[in-house]
Amino acid sequence: LAKTTQPISMDSYEGQEVNITCSHNNIATNDYITWYQQFPSQGPRFIIQGYKTKVTNEVASLFIPADRKSSTLSLPRVSLSDTAVYYCLVAPYNTDKLIFGTGTRLQVFP
Amino acid sequence: DVKVTQSSRYLVKRTGEKVFLECVQDMDHENMFWYRQDPGLGLRLIYFSYDVKMKEKGDIPEGYSVSREKKERFSLILESASTNQTSMYLCASSLRAQGAKNIQYFGAGTRLSVL
């Protein structure tokens, strides 16, 4: 399973755009890149998934360069309620297991 | 909306007790998972099941067993609870199809304290 590396923590202010970059150098050809969000005292929640280039939904955008060795989760105009832990995962093609790691703790200040 | 329900939010047990954590999902998902979450260690997979009566070990299965007699229900069993099993336990479910299998739906968690 491909290992991911992401910042332990990040700080931001309300209204700013936040970009969290994750590296996954040994991603395999058919693996997907998946991001989850976890608020305190709750289970993680899926937010976005991509294979290449750019994916956007109502919550975030995901940018994946051509070599797919990294990905960037972009949160536009964050608010206090975006304070959470964000997990980057490489989802293997050939197994149903996901490896969550420790994630990036995002703190948004007023 | 997918709902994953864990039977207890908080649980306090004594060392040596047999503990059952129950999880039920209502979306006909094939896959079900049990994780534990500890500070600084992230989520670690204990067991998962891809079908009724089928199970596979995750990264930390020691001291745990599971049961899946019905598709919607996945139970985690601590045969003889120990203090190092004090943790937050999270259940999740997903479909098996490619792409969809990466979207896991989580319950609210059970915070277990073993005294």
Side-chain angles (χ1 to χ4, degrees), chain A residues 42-58:
Chain A
Q42 293 186 26
R45 179 178 76 112
F46 168 86
I47 48 175
I48 200 165
Q49 172 171 254
Y51 182 77
K52 60 181 178 180
T53 62
K54 178 183 173 184
V55 180
T56 297
N57 62 21
E58 65 279 4

Side-chain angles (χ1 to χ4, degrees), chain A residues 36 38 41 49 92-93 95, chain B residues 9 37 98 101-102 104:
Chain A
Y36 281 73
Q38 186 178 21
S41 301
Q49 172 171 254
Y93 178 84
T95 176
Chain B
R9 197 80 168 92
Q37 185 169 30
Q98 282 300 334
K101 68 183 178 74
N102 305 324
Q104 294 186 11

Side-chain angles (χ1 to χ4, degrees), chain B residues 70-114:
Chain B
K70 293 185 178 182
K71 190 175 186 180
E72 67 270 19
R73 186 179 296 270
F74 192 34
S75 303
L76 180 69
I77 303 152
L78 286 67
E79 297 290 343
S80 176
S82 63
T83 54
N84 62 12
Q85 292 179 309
T86 291
S87 186
M88 170 69 88
Y89 289 88
L90 290 156
C91 174
S93 72
S94 76
L95 292 168
R96 283 212 86 189
Q98 282 300 334
K101 68 183 178 74
N102 305 324
I103 304 172
Q104 294 186 11
Y105 296 85
F106 282 80
T110 296
R111 188 165 293 282
L112 173 68
S113 296
V114 182

